[in-house]
Amino acid sequence: MISANNVTYRVGKKALFEDVNIKFTEGNCYGLIGANGAGKSTFLKILDGRLETTKGEIVMTPGQRLSFLEQDHFKYDDYTVMDTVILGNERLYQVMKEKDAIYAKEDFTDEDGIKASELEAEFADMDGWEAESNAAMLLNGLGIDTELHYAMMKDLVGNDKVKVLLAKALFGNPDILLLDEPTNHLDLDAIAWLEEFLINFENTVVVVSHDRYFLNKVCTHTADIDYGKIQLYAGNYDFWFESSQLLIKQMKEANKKKEEKIKELQEFISRFSANASKSKQATSRKRALEKIELETIKPSSRKYPYIDFRPDREIGNEVLTVEGISKTINGEKVLNNISFVLGHDDKVALVGSNEIAKTALFQILSGNMEPDEGTYKWGVTTSQAYFPKDYTKEFDNDYTITDWLMGYSPVKDVTYVRGFLGRMLFAGEDGVKKVKVLSGGEHVRCLLSKMMISGANCLLLDEPTNHLDMESIQALNNGLIKFPGVEMFSCHDHQFIQTTANRIMEILPDGTLLDKITTYDEYLASDEMARKRTVYTAAKEEDDN
């Protein structure tokens, strides 16, 4: 158990949290939600002790071990993958190294023998003999190949480092587990594995995530941060949303009835206050009026952008034809003889564990990369807008937001451009901000503004939900659902894919394409075993070679 007692945390003069009281108990998973800037990550760091409270205290059950998902991908570059995971239990790792150092001595003394015996007993109590096999199970579950388990962390690619750090946080059955955006940069199989792990986890979990499906799957409770307070709800994210909306509706209805009563009393007082025979009743009504208090309905601090892609022209029947595209990157054939045809009603989710392969296909179809083999052809009625996964070069300049978007606008009018920026929550003075200093979420909203202003009828989006808060993800989700054109997107948000896509394309480990006209849930249910067999076969063939 871990609790916050009267916790206040100030940044300068601003109180990010004010007199917060909340308890997180064993056997429950708490989804910590709130608008961007509400302090979700900060509160996790306060619980972990990385940040000190301005007032109040964090209390944890004595003797319990807390584990925190770290974000520094370079911190363990000098360690092996296996050692990094076992470092999730620092005392166990320390005992292992002390034992090894003693046994490595050439002049082994009686005192060394006694110390080694004590360490062996402690090691056994912490299930040390199973440490490497337990760590390997976590790594395999998250998709880290066995051959990488003893590699150096510095030799891993970024997404694999993320998985190792997550395995480190999960290692050793911690009593309290704090996870800040654990699904970021995970492939869909790894996310599914993590969901099952947390569903079966018997201790305390507090998790921050922008993935609504993930929160609905794993959370028993929802802790909502708004206006410096944290309100606890029983149930998952959808239950919180429905409950909060119902509460506001009930408060509005109660206020409406009170307002009608106030009006009735005011009219009575106005009519009869000067009438001697009714003066007592009027005075009584006045007292009753003074006692009526309307509920204070404070609107949520959450802000939803308005995302609406409106094509300038209707799309024809011929949209996109891809024939035999192949591409090799860094010696690996990531795309292998891929062919497909898009129709005018297609909304395609591009899935698969190979992020490089998906990005390569998007870059080829957007004209930013040449295939090694094969061709593609867009229809004459089509126009394309592309959201790249890596957009750093796009904002490496001194333009203001308004000037930057003006460069892509067909209408060179400041008012017209600011209208698009306003929909994306860039209001007033925000328009003169330099694009190079914006946050990740602000950069994404700029790029979505660029796509909206283009009037394209074919959208290519490579991981557009990265860096977005939940409100912006929902807005983008809604915008793509009602978009009348063709779209192809990659995303790790299960609910986003399920509610948007009507066609699933998976790039398999050998670079070939599995193409199904179906919803995502139906695809997973019908093809999961086939997909697993394909992955296993490809891995086995590679090992044999």
Side-chain angles (χ1 to χ4, degrees), residues 17-122:
F17 299 104
E18 192 79 55
D19 295 325
V20 168
N21 290 281
I22 190 168
K23 182 185 293 183
F24 304 104
T25 58
E26 185 178 349
N28 294 316
C29 179
Y30 300 84
L32 191 62
I33 64 172
N36 257 9
K40 300 183 292 294
S41 297
T42 299
F43 191 72
L44 285 188
K45 291 175 183 175
I46 291 171
L47 290 177
D48 181 54
R50 294 169 189 239
L51 293 177
E52 291 187 8
T53 62
T54 305
K55 189 181 76 172
E57 61 178 353
I58 301 299
V59 178
M60 192 169 80
T61 301
Q64 290 197 336
R65 185 169 70 85
L66 182 149
S67 185
F68 186 93
L69 175 57
E70 297 188 68
Q71 307 293 332
D72 186 349
H73 298 175
F74 306 101
K75 183 176 180 180
Y76 299 96
D77 274 0
D78 294 331
Y79 293 84
T80 66
V81 168
M82 184 60 67
D83 280 354
T84 300
V85 176
I86 295 174
L87 269 165
N89 186 334
E90 289 188 19
R91 180 53 190 163
L92 174 60
Y93 182 80
Q94 183 182 357
V95 169
M96 288 175 62
K97 294 306 176 185
E98 285 185 28
K99 283 199 311 134
D100 291 345
I102 290 175
Y103 292 138
K105 283 186 173 183
E106 293 183 1
D107 53 342
F108 192 87
T109 65
D110 289 343
E111 289 183 1
D112 290 330
I114 294 171
K115 180 63 175 176
S117 177
E118 292 171 350
L119 290 172
E120 290 287 6
E122 187 178 359

Side-chain angles (χ1 to χ4, degrees), residues 233-234 237-248 250:
Y233 296 80
Y237 177 80
D238 279 351
F239 187 85
W240 161 80
F241 184 79
E242 296 297 331
S243 298
S244 61
Q245 295 303 302
L246 179 60
L247 180 61
I248 293 172
Q250 289 173 340

Side-chain angles (χ1 to χ4, degrees), residues 262-282:
I262 289 170
K263 186 177 179 181
E264 178 186 318
L265 291 172
Q266 287 174 334
E267 288 176 352
F268 185 91
I269 294 166
S270 177
R271 286 202 313 270
F272 298 111
S273 58
N275 188 316
S277 63
K278 299 283 188 178
S279 62
K280 285 186 178 180
Q281 292 181 41

Side-chain angles (χ1 to χ4, degrees), residues 3 10 21 35 58 63 87 98 113 130 135 156 170 225 251 257 274 277 307 382 422 424 471-472 524 542:
S3 62
R10 295 183 181 277
N21 290 281
I58 301 299
L87 269 165
E98 285 185 28
E130 304 298 323
L156 266 59
L170 304 178
I225 303 177
M251 291 171 66
K257 290 178 180 178
S277 63
I307 299 178
T382 66
M424 299 304 290
E471 292 70 42
S472 297
L524 291 178
E542 185 178 342

Side-chain angles (χ1 to χ4, degrees), residues 342 346-350 487-490 501-505:
L342 290 190
D346 284 335
K347 294 178 184 288
V348 180
L350 188 63
E487 60 200 48
M488 176 182 282
F489 65 91
S490 64
N502 58 23
R503 183 173 176 180
I504 308 295
M505 292 184 183

Side-chain angles (χ1 to χ4, degrees), residues 303-351:
K303 294 181 179 179
Y304 291 81
Y306 179 68
I307 299 178
D308 186 20
F309 301 103
R310 296 184 182 181
D312 289 338
R313 65 183 296 185
E314 188 175 343
I315 200 166
N317 290 326
E318 293 185 7
V319 179
L320 175 65
T321 301
V322 174
E323 294 184 351
I325 282 183
S326 295
K327 185 68 180 180
T328 297
I329 297 177
N330 296 329
E332 179 186 357
K333 198 166 192 176
V334 296
L335 301 176
N336 185 3
N337 194 31
I338 285 179
S339 299
F340 60 88
V341 176
L342 290 190
H344 59 74
D345 294 321
D346 284 335
K347 294 178 184 288
V348 180
L350 188 63
V351 301

Side-chain angles (χ1 to χ4, degrees), residues 491-516:
C491 177
H492 291 165
D493 187 311
H494 185 119
Q495 187 168 336
F496 193 99
I497 299 173
Q498 171 60 21
T499 55
T500 305
N502 58 23
R503 183 173 176 180
I504 308 295
M505 292 184 183
E506 178 172 7
I507 300 179
L508 299 171
D510 62 357
T512 59
L513 190 70
L514 185 59
D515 185 3
K516 296 285 185 180

